[in-house]
Amino acid sequence: MQPAAARAVVRRARDQDLDRLVELFAEVAAEGRWIGAELPLDRERRRRHFSEAMYDERAVLLVAEVDGRIVGQLDMELARYGVADLGMLVAPGWRGQGLGTALLRAGIDWARGAGAHKVALQVWPHNQAAIALYEKLGFQREGLLRRHYRRRNGELWDAVVMGLLL
Ligand SMILES: CC(C)(COP(=O)(O)OP(=O)(O)OC[C@H]1O[C@@H](n2cnc3c(N)ncnc32)[C@H](O)[C@@H]1OP(=O)(O)O)[C@@H](O)C(=O)NCCC(=O)NCCS
């Protein structure tokens, strides 16, 4: 069988994707170590966020679909000052097969088209796979937020600030 990226379709999310998108987000939040969100997830709030991103012309919500199943997602929101803030994830079991690369390339294209001058994000310092993906596509490390985010277990985590000038 072809690798996942070759079989993947990257497209804009639709209303009928919302349930799956929330489920996928919860699955990655449950891992507890890659994204900011932790369990228990406020599913209604997340659903609203995704839904708004679909209809806001200053935002985009993209999905990566393989064989009819959504296994990755990227969202961006363009601030008034021209910076597009990025969040993304790929389902466990589907990582390392080029889907993140495909999603991020499409996201960067959207940001360019939307008139952004920069794409920005924050990532945990231990998230080697994400940092490698961002650096592969030209993002640079711009700084470190020290002991910035309080986790539900009380730990204070650093975050790396990264950016791509378009
Ligand atoms: C980060 C993430 C989106 C990357 O998606 P992916 O589909 O695994 O990425 P790709 O397969 O396209 O790999 C992209 C690059 O990342 C690097 N990479 C991938 N997996 C890696 C790993 N386990 N360790 C180190 N580098 C890795 C490689 O440089 C790879 O490029 P290459 O294959 O051309 O060498 C995915 O790992 C993920 O969803 N993680 C959990 C959620 C998350 O961390 N989201 C981002 C929060 S800031």
Side-chain angles (χ1 to χ4, degrees):
M1 202 183 286
Q2 284 178 304
R7 284 158 34 229
V9 176
V10 173
R11 60 163 174 82
R12 278 184 181 248
R14 306 187 272 256
D15 280 339
Q16 55 266 43
D17 300 327
L18 276 172
D19 286 346
R20 170 62 186 149
L21 282 167
V22 173
E23 176 192 303
L24 176 59
F25 192 85
E27 210 180 325
V28 178
E31 293 179 283
R33 58 188 316 251
W34 306 127
I35 60 176
E38 294 183 88
L39 297 188
L41 192 68
D42 183 341
R43 286 174 177 259
E44 270 317 304
R45 190 160 167 262
R46 179 50 46 183
R47 199 186 163 88
R48 247 191 339 268
H49 171 83
F50 283 147
S51 182
E52 282 165 12
M54 279 182 210
Y55 294 103
D56 182 351
E57 60 181 27
R58 298 185 67 86
V60 74
L61 177 57
L62 300 174
V63 299
E65 196 175 50
V66 181
D67 305 333
R69 182 163 180 77
I70 291 173
V71 295
Q73 164 262 312
L74 173 148
D75 58 281
M76 276 196 200
E77 194 177 337
L78 178 57
R80 299 278 159 198
Y81 46 85
V83 175
D85 271 306
L86 165 73
M88 66 183 295
L89 52 85
V90 169
W94 289 92
R95 296 176 188 153
Q97 301 185 63
L99 296 173
T101 303
L103 274 167
L104 188 51
R105 285 194 201 287
I108 293 168
D109 285 349
W110 175 84
R112 246 193 214 104
H117 68 271
K118 183 174 182 179
V119 180
L121 62 90
Q122 293 180 22
V123 56
W124 304 128
H126 59 255
N127 196 346
Q128 301 290 337
I131 291 171
L133 165 62
Y134 300 138
E135 287 183 335
K136 182 175 96 167
L137 292 200
F139 285 76
Q140 294 191 340
R141 295 175 198 235
E142 297 187 340
L144 183 70
L145 300 171
R146 292 178 195 279
R147 296 166 67 78
H148 193 79
Y149 289 100
R150 184 160 53 215
R151 304 294 284 173
R152 290 200 170 147
N153 65 6
E155 288 175 8
L156 298 176
W157 285 12
D158 296 351
V160 179
V161 179
M162 298 187 76
L164 174 71
L165 284 167
L166 299 175

